[in-house]
Amino acid sequence: MKLLQNSLLVSFIAIFLTPAYYGEEIIGGHVVKPHSMPYMVSIQTFEEDQYKHKCGGVLIKANWVLTAAHCKRYLDTSKMSQVVLGAHSFSQNETEQTLGIARLIPHPNFSRETVENDIMLLKLKKSAKINKYVNLLKLPQGEVKDVKPGTCCTVAGWGITNANSETASDTLQEVIIKVMDLKICKATKYPKPTLVVTKDMICAGDPKGKKDASMGDSGGPLICKKKYTGIVSYGDNETIKPGIYTFLSNKYLAWIKKSLGADLTKERY
Ligand SMILES: *[C@@H]1O[C@H](CO)[C@@H](O)[C@H](O)[C@H]1NC(C)=O
Ligand SMILES: *[C@@H]1O[C@H](CO)[C@@H](O)[C@H](O)[C@H]1NC(C)=O
Ligand SMILES: *[C@@H]1O[C@H](CO)[C@@H](O)[C@H](O)[C@H]1NC(C)=O
């Protein structure tokens, strides 16, 4: 975060969209101080002889990850997938923990068409070892209030760092963006005509159009005033259009609690 404040001349974090427009990457951002976000998760799928980063996520319990429901497309049972914790640079991986995924719990009302309820829980096969490199990010506690337009928030991910690339960033990047009035997103023409912007979403971006999440950033956290506030959900390849984030509203926090609670009563820990 400090690093971010010092570097106003941010790199270009773009939200890199997959062909279906989903996915986000950091455009116009900069490299995160290594391991300053120990809760960051890389969700990966085996393709062409190696695991490739597909989506971000956040470790909320030692064996639970919160991400975006649209990331499910990378995790269907025909694909080998894993989560990587404790990473900064994928090519220098001494601090990483790799864990399998036991269960996917997408929000039951997630819609690919409207992109509503783009939130998903992943239960891991084993609990992560909490250490200097791997730690939890707390979910908001108590009653959550709407985030005021103008609030500066950080979004982080290993997504593409420029709109012309399709390769994930080797290092974790972050960018600061501004929350905008939801009306701006409602009035924006996105390439997905079926998209419905609701109050359970946050609209955020760079008024100058230089900073954005991009392909590969999907599922990662939006952090406002040091609090976990949203999930990277939707954007398009034009950074001038604000990105859309799933807002960790009271509705979703109740769903998470219920989903984890049901799980806890079923199994012993
Ligand atoms: C670490 O990275 C090297 C080089 O990319 C790779 O060969 C190795 O499998 C990786 N190890 C883990 C645990 O991911
Ligand atoms: C999903 O939508 C149905 C119908 O609107 C509603 O009754 C249900 O509570 C929703 N589920 C969740 C988990 O929000
Ligand atoms: C965004 O994608 C559209 C359609 O694929 C393309 O025509 C346009 O040039 C792209 N814009 C940028 C900034 O890459």
XYZ file of all heavy atoms in Angstrom, residues 59 61-65 83 85 97-102 122-131 134 136 263-264 267-269:
249
model
N -7.841 -15.957 0.396
C -7.937 -16.979 1.441
C -8.693 -16.366 2.623
O -8.236 -15.410 3.244
C -6.527 -17.404 1.860
C -6.431 -18.670 2.711
C -6.827 -19.911 1.896
C -5.020 -18.845 3.271
N -10.371 -18.512 5.020
C -10.176 -19.480 6.122
C -9.033 -20.353 5.620
O -8.793 -20.405 4.405
C -11.400 -20.380 6.303
C -12.639 -19.647 6.729
C -12.930 -19.881 8.193
C -14.179 -19.123 8.559
N -14.178 -18.597 9.883
N -8.401 -21.110 6.496
C -7.244 -21.902 6.065
C -7.592 -22.877 4.937
O -6.728 -23.262 4.155
C -6.647 -22.648 7.251
N -8.874 -23.249 4.837
C -9.264 -24.164 3.751
C -10.407 -23.624 2.884
O -11.104 -24.404 2.230
C -9.616 -25.547 4.311
C -10.792 -25.489 5.262
O -11.102 -24.424 5.797
N -11.449 -26.608 5.475
N -10.578 -22.322 2.865
C -11.621 -21.717 2.017
C -11.087 -20.501 1.280
O -10.444 -19.639 1.873
C -12.813 -21.265 2.854
C -13.703 -22.371 3.331
C -13.657 -22.975 4.558
C -14.768 -23.004 2.612
N -14.628 -23.940 4.644
C -15.331 -23.971 3.460
C -15.296 -22.831 1.333
C -16.407 -24.777 3.067
C -16.367 -23.624 0.949
C -16.905 -24.587 1.809
N -11.454 -20.437 0.001
C -11.060 -19.311 -0.850
C -12.327 -18.654 -1.389
O -13.279 -19.345 -1.742
C -10.171 -19.816 -2.019
C -9.968 -18.751 -3.086
C -8.823 -20.315 -1.484
N -4.958 -24.427 -6.453
C -4.743 -23.052 -6.017
C -3.314 -22.947 -5.484
O -2.791 -23.900 -4.910
C -5.758 -22.568 -4.938
C -7.187 -22.698 -5.436
C -5.580 -23.292 -3.634
N -0.891 -20.614 -3.068
C -0.870 -19.612 -1.997
C 0.584 -19.201 -1.754
O 1.513 -19.951 -2.072
C -1.429 -20.216 -0.708
C -2.730 -21.013 -0.833
C -3.018 -21.753 0.463
C -3.874 -20.093 -1.163
N 2.569 -22.569 -1.515
C 1.868 -23.792 -1.110
C 0.841 -24.073 -2.195
O 0.085 -23.178 -2.566
C 1.147 -23.595 0.226
C 2.075 -23.388 1.409
C 1.297 -23.189 2.713
O 0.297 -23.848 2.966
N 1.778 -22.268 3.528
N 0.837 -25.292 -2.671
C -0.109 -25.669 -3.719
C -1.130 -26.625 -3.126
O -0.747 -27.615 -2.500
C 0.654 -26.350 -4.873
O 1.611 -25.421 -5.362
C -0.277 -26.735 -6.009
N -2.410 -26.316 -3.296
C -3.452 -27.158 -2.715
C -4.516 -27.492 -3.754
O -4.790 -26.689 -4.661
C -4.096 -26.440 -1.518
C -3.184 -26.201 -0.298
C -3.880 -25.307 0.710
C -2.778 -27.507 0.356
N -5.096 -28.654 -3.591
C -6.172 -29.075 -4.497
C -7.501 -28.477 -4.066
O -7.652 -27.992 -2.941
N -8.461 -28.522 -4.968
C -9.796 -27.975 -4.694
C -10.754 -29.139 -4.457
O -10.867 -30.039 -5.289
C -10.271 -27.103 -5.873
C -9.285 -25.941 -6.084
C -11.691 -26.576 -5.645
C -9.450 -25.209 -7.401
N -11.429 -29.121 -3.311
C -12.342 -30.213 -2.965
C -13.756 -29.932 -3.473
O -14.461 -30.850 -3.890
C -12.369 -30.406 -1.462
N -14.512 -21.688 -2.705
C -13.794 -22.919 -3.044
C -13.361 -23.538 -1.737
O -12.717 -22.876 -0.919
C -12.513 -22.630 -3.836
C -12.589 -21.859 -5.142
C -11.196 -21.751 -5.736
C -13.519 -22.572 -6.113
N -13.711 -24.799 -1.565
C -13.207 -25.497 -0.389
C -11.951 -26.244 -0.821
O -11.960 -26.949 -1.838
C -14.258 -26.464 0.139
C -13.843 -27.002 1.478
C -14.776 -28.030 2.003
C -14.241 -28.498 3.340
N -14.948 -29.703 3.754
N -10.897 -26.091 -0.060
C -9.634 -26.737 -0.415
C -9.569 -28.150 0.169
O -10.233 -28.457 1.158
C -8.459 -25.894 0.091
C -8.488 -24.432 -0.376
C -7.279 -23.674 0.155
C -8.529 -24.360 -1.909
N -8.758 -28.991 -0.463
C -8.631 -30.379 0.021
C -7.940 -30.439 1.366
O -8.165 -31.358 2.133
C -7.866 -31.207 -1.012
C -8.717 -31.521 -2.235
C -8.039 -32.502 -3.158
C -8.951 -32.841 -4.331
N -8.185 -33.339 -5.482
N -7.050 -29.491 1.614
C -6.329 -29.441 2.897
C -6.292 -27.994 3.360
O -6.462 -27.084 2.554
C -4.873 -29.879 2.686
C -4.681 -31.349 2.539
C -3.180 -31.616 2.558
C -2.879 -33.051 2.204
N -1.502 -33.199 1.753
N -6.007 -27.806 4.634
C -5.849 -26.443 5.135
C -4.457 -25.932 4.806
O -3.484 -26.686 4.865
C -6.026 -26.429 6.653
O -7.383 -26.652 6.953
N -4.395 -24.661 4.475
C -3.101 -24.019 4.233
C -2.370 -23.884 5.557
O -2.995 -23.793 6.620
C -3.333 -22.647 3.626
N -1.047 -23.866 5.484
C -0.239 -23.570 6.679
C -0.081 -22.053 6.728
O 0.472 -21.445 5.817
C 1.129 -24.225 6.569
C 1.056 -25.713 6.754
C 2.464 -26.308 6.856
C 2.402 -27.815 6.718
N 2.198 -28.243 5.308
N -0.592 -21.478 7.803
C -0.511 -20.023 7.937
C 0.914 -19.656 8.380
O 1.442 -20.230 9.329
C -1.550 -19.517 8.970
C -2.973 -19.984 8.585
C -1.471 -18.003 9.139
C -3.487 -19.498 7.238
N 1.523 -18.746 7.640
C 2.894 -18.324 7.967
C 3.103 -16.900 7.445
O 2.127 -16.195 7.163
C 3.910 -19.317 7.385
C 3.797 -19.445 5.857
O 3.379 -18.506 5.180
N 4.170 -20.594 5.333
N 1.597 -16.820 3.844
C 0.217 -17.261 3.608
C -0.614 -16.871 4.823
O -0.316 -17.299 5.946
C 0.166 -18.798 3.401
C -1.269 -19.275 3.285
C 0.974 -19.198 2.165
N -4.778 -15.102 6.160
C -6.170 -14.855 5.804
C -6.435 -13.362 5.635
O -5.746 -12.531 6.231
C -7.092 -15.376 6.911
C -6.818 -16.775 7.441
C -7.838 -17.127 8.530
C -6.852 -17.813 6.334
N -21.213 -26.255 6.095
C -20.049 -27.112 5.944
C -19.495 -27.529 7.297
O -19.130 -28.673 7.516
C -18.979 -26.346 5.168
C -17.751 -27.185 4.940
O -17.817 -28.028 4.054
O -16.765 -27.011 5.673
N -19.465 -26.598 8.211
C -18.878 -26.879 9.522
C -19.714 -27.898 10.308
O -19.175 -28.670 11.081
C -18.740 -25.585 10.329
C -17.665 -24.636 9.803
C -17.733 -23.303 10.512
C -16.280 -25.237 9.966
N -18.857 -31.460 8.811
C -17.530 -32.042 8.973
C -16.858 -31.522 10.230
O -17.109 -30.423 10.669
C -16.668 -31.667 7.767
C -17.148 -32.347 6.523
C -16.606 -31.669 5.287
O -15.376 -31.525 5.208
O -17.401 -31.271 4.439
N -15.990 -32.355 10.739
C -15.231 -31.945 11.923
C -13.909 -31.332 11.491
O -13.302 -31.776 10.529
C -14.968 -33.168 12.815
C -16.222 -33.769 13.374
C -15.884 -34.747 14.498
N -16.658 -34.486 15.695
C -16.291 -33.635 16.638
N -15.174 -32.955 16.528
N -17.033 -33.478 17.698
N -13.494 -30.341 12.226
C -12.217 -29.722 11.879
C -11.237 -29.894 13.020
O -11.623 -29.880 14.154
C -12.411 -28.226 11.582
C -12.943 -28.038 10.194
C -14.271 -28.284 9.911
C -12.079 -27.704 9.156
C -14.741 -28.159 8.626
C -12.552 -27.568 7.884
C -13.881 -27.794 7.614
O -14.341 -27.664 6.349
